Each structure stands twice: as C-alpha cells, then as structure tokens.
C-alpha cells in the first residue's frame, strides 16, 4: 500500500508547514502590534532630546520652540530640575497641579523607574539638571523592578529553542493522536477499493470513523461477486449449450452430407436433381464449418481450448497455408500473391501450429467469402523489431469505416443480430483475434493497401 505512507507524509508536511507558518505569522503580528502601540516610538530618546535642547539665557531656562511644540502635540508635560537643589528650573505651561516643583533623591529614583502621580515618566540628562517627561496616564506600562539574573539572560536563546521544540513536539503528538484513528480507518478502505477491480471479495470491518464508507464498499463487493457468479454461470451454460448443440447436429448433418453426396453422383437421377444434391452437400459443408468455428470460438473465449505451443517458423507455416489454397482454386478466381521479402526465410514464433494455420485460413477464406466474383489476395510475413507481422489483404469490396467500427472485439456470434452475413464475417475474424490473443499478440483490422480489406496479426517473436 503505497498510498497510506504517502498520505501520512502529506499530513506531517501539512502539520510542519502549518506550524512554521503560524509561528512566522504570530511573530509578525506581535511585532506589528508592538510597533503600532508605541507612541512617539522612543520615549527615552525624546526625554534626552528635550534635555539637550534646554538653553539658559540670563538665568532663564527654556527648550526650543520646536521641541516645546512637539511635546504639546503629544500631550507630554515636562519639568527640568536642578541637579543640586532638586527644584524646578523650567516646566511646561500645562503642567498638572499634582506634579511637584521640588524633588528629593528618592522621588527622582522612583519616577525614573516608574511613575509620578500615575503618569509614566522618562528622564533625560541635561547640562545642569534632569529633564523629566510625563506621558498621559495609561499610555505606557513600566516594570518597576526590571532586574534579571544574568545566567537566565545568557541561557535565554537555548531556553527559547527548547520551548519552541517542545511546542512543536507537543503539537505533533496531538496531531498524530487526533488523526491516528482516521489513518487506521483509511488503510483497510484503500485496500478494499484496490481489490474491487480485481474481482476479489472484500469484507471490511464496519467500525471506526469511516464505518459507513466501509459498509458501502462491502455492499458493492457483494453485488460484484453476485454479478460475477451469475456471469460465470451464464457463460458456462452458454458454452455447454453450444457444445451440446454442436454434438447433436453433427450426427444428422453427417448423414445428410453422406446421402446428398451419394445422390449427387448417382446415375439414376437427372442432371437437375444431381445439381440440387451438390448444393445440399456444399451448404451442409458450410454448416459444418460454421459449427466448428462456433465451437472453437467458444472454447477460446472461455479458455477451454488447450494450446500445444512450440517454436514454429511463421514464414514456412503461412506459405504452406497459402499453397493449400492455391491448389484448391482450380478456376483461378482467387490468385494469391506472396509479398514476403525474399531475404526473410525464417521468423521464429512460439505458437500452436494448428490454431495459427486456422487463423490464416480464416483470413484467406474471409476474402473469398465476401468477394464471390473473385479477387486477388496478398499475403506477407514481415519481422518488425521483436514482432512477427502476418498480413492478409485483398482488392475486393473492402469495408466501410462504419463496418470496421462494428467489427469490435465483442463475440458477435453471441449477439442477436438481424444481419446473418455480418455475424458470419464477425465470427471468422473473432476467431482470428482470439487465436492472436492466446499467443500474446493482437490483431489490426482496416483498409488494405491494395484497395480492399486487410487484416494484420502481430505476434511476438521467439528470438
């Protein structure tokens, strides 16, 4: 089952990629959120800039107009206290009433770390004093006791990585635990689906998350098995019926042919009666051949025909069949042309000699049956790569594209059809196809290169 490990790997990759994506998105969101909620960006730098902009003129202290406007626009109040006395040397005009103008060292220490009257404060060192900036209440949160162990700070990167790895492992365990039930249910269902096309019986346990799907697959398997049994039963009955009918017809047919043959040569009958008896003999022979074809096609279709396979020379075998037909064509209505290359005298194939001769004979007889006024038949054996191609073509009536389409691989002798001629035509070609298939080859039916009908059997070479 290659699909189950692939499915598991897919789940794991999705989980890992999701974890990495969530981590990146969370970090990005945190940075974006932090930057958006930092007014003026740098409160400590702003305090130092305000201290640096402080100027003294004849004992009067003041910041630049630009800095004062910046503080006012941001709602920041400011106090500049003397280093020695702790008294305010300068302050903004909108200084809150609760903000003192004189500071002790303890007050300076407290406001530097935290708040003054609820206002978050930040300080900057001036030339003669300390600049105190007070931001609006609830605008900043300041940690009053920001003191950290140095060993903890040094081990922080490692600690962060360990915590991150632990989180990933925990997510992995949760993910696998949550999906293990699904994976356990998917595996037998996937195996059952793969067995259905092969015709094997499927019986899945109808438990777990996918119990309803398992039940549907079991029901489908039961239906397929029932259909398979009915088809086998039907095919067996059909084959037995064909064999039985063929056997029952042979005995009376042999008697009809024997008596008709005697009558056709009897001097006691007139010429017209002997001619009629000859017609009976020929038509009886056609019935006999049809029965033999029907029996052979049935056996080949249901693999009931034993094959006696051995290495044969396709060139010699096909040439012998062609010579036999030439010798029986006394009137010369069906001349046969041998188109096999002169240099090709041997083409080894593994075949049942009698069946292969039967296939070639069927193709030649097929051209004769459908061209009663006569035609030329071309036969060739060619080796193409690892295949041996046996071709039989004629310059007769041929077949239309629609007729070629009807000559499908289906066993036409099993189908009810109003056209008896098409059934006979299809039966002969069906036997050829079945013989080629039983030898590991295939058959190509189409228009011949000489303007008529053409059939090519492609069989694998033995060497």
């Amino acid at each position: 089952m290659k699909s189950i490990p692939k499915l598991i790997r897919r789940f794991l990759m999705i989980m890992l990629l999701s974890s990495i994506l969530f981590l990146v998105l969370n970090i990005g969101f945190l940075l974006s959120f932090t930057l958006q909620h930092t007014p003026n960006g740098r409160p400590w730098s702003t305090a130092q800039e305000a201290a640096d902009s402080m100027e003294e003129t004849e004992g009067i202290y003041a910041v630049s107009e630009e800095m004062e406007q910046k503080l006012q626009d941001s709602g920041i109040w400011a106090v500049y206290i003397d280093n020695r006395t702790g008294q305010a040397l300068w302050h903004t005009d909108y200084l809150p009433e609760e903000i003192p103008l004189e500071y002790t060292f303890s007050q300076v220490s407290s406001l530097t770390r935290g708040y003054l009257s609820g206002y978050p404060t930040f300080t900057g060192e001036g030339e003669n004093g300390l600049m105190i900036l007070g931001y609006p209440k609830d605008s900043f949160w300041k940690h009053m006791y920001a003191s950290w162990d140095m060993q903890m700070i040094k081990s922080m990167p490692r600690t962060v990585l360990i915590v991150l790895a632990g989180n990933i492992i925990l997510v992995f365990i949760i993910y696998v635990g949550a999906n293990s039930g699904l994976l356990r249910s998917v595996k037998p269902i996937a195996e059952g689906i793969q067995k259905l096309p092969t015709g094997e019986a499927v019986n899945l346990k109808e438990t777990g998350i996918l119990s309803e799907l398992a039940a549907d697959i079991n029901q489908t398997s039961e239906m397929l098995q029932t259909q398979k049994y009915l088809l086998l039963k039907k095919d067996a009955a059909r084959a037995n019926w064909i064999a039985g009918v063929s056997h029952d017809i042979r005995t009376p047919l042999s008697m009809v042919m024997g008596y008709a043959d005697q009558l056709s040569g009897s001097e006691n009958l007139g010429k017209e009666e002997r001619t009629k008896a000859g017609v009976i003999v020929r038509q009886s022979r056609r019935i006999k051949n049809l029965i033999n074809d029907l029996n052979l096609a049935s056996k080949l279709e249901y693999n009931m025909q034993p094959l006696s396979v051995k290495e044969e020379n396709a060139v010699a075998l096909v040439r012998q069949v062609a010579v036999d037909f030439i010798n029986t064509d006394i009137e010369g209505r069906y001349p046969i042309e041998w188109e096999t290359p002169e240099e090709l005298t041997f083409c080894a194939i593994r075949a049942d000699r009698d069946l292969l001769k039967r296939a070639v004979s069927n193709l030649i007889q097929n051209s004769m049956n459908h061209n009663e006024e006569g035609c030329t038949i071309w036969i060739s054996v060619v080796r193409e790569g690892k295949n041996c191609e046996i071709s039989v073509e004629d310059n007769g009536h041929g077949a239309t594209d629609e007729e070629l389409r009807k000559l499908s691989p289906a066993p036409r002798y099993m189908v009810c059809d109003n056209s008896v001629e098409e059934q006979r035509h299809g039966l002969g070609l069906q036997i050829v196809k079945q013989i080629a298939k039983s030898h590991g080859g295939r058959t190509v039916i189409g228009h011949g290169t000489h303007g008529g009908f053409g059939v090519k059997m492609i069989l694998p070479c033995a060497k």
Side-chain angles (χ1 to χ4, degrees), residues 20 31 54 62 155 188-189 206 225 230 249 355 458:
I20 295 173
L31 291 176
M54 180 63 67
S155 62
I189 287 178
E206 299 177 9
Q225 291 300 314
L230 292 177
I249 291 177
L355 282 181
I458 303 175

Side-chain angles (χ1 to χ4, degrees), residues 27-53:
I27 292 176
F29 174 77
L30 181 61
L31 291 176
S32 175
F33 181 82
T34 302
L35 293 176
Q36 289 178 1
H37 293 79
T38 306
N40 299 324
R42 300 173 299 169
W44 292 101
S45 299
T46 303
Q48 188 59 49
E49 291 175 2
D52 293 339
S53 69

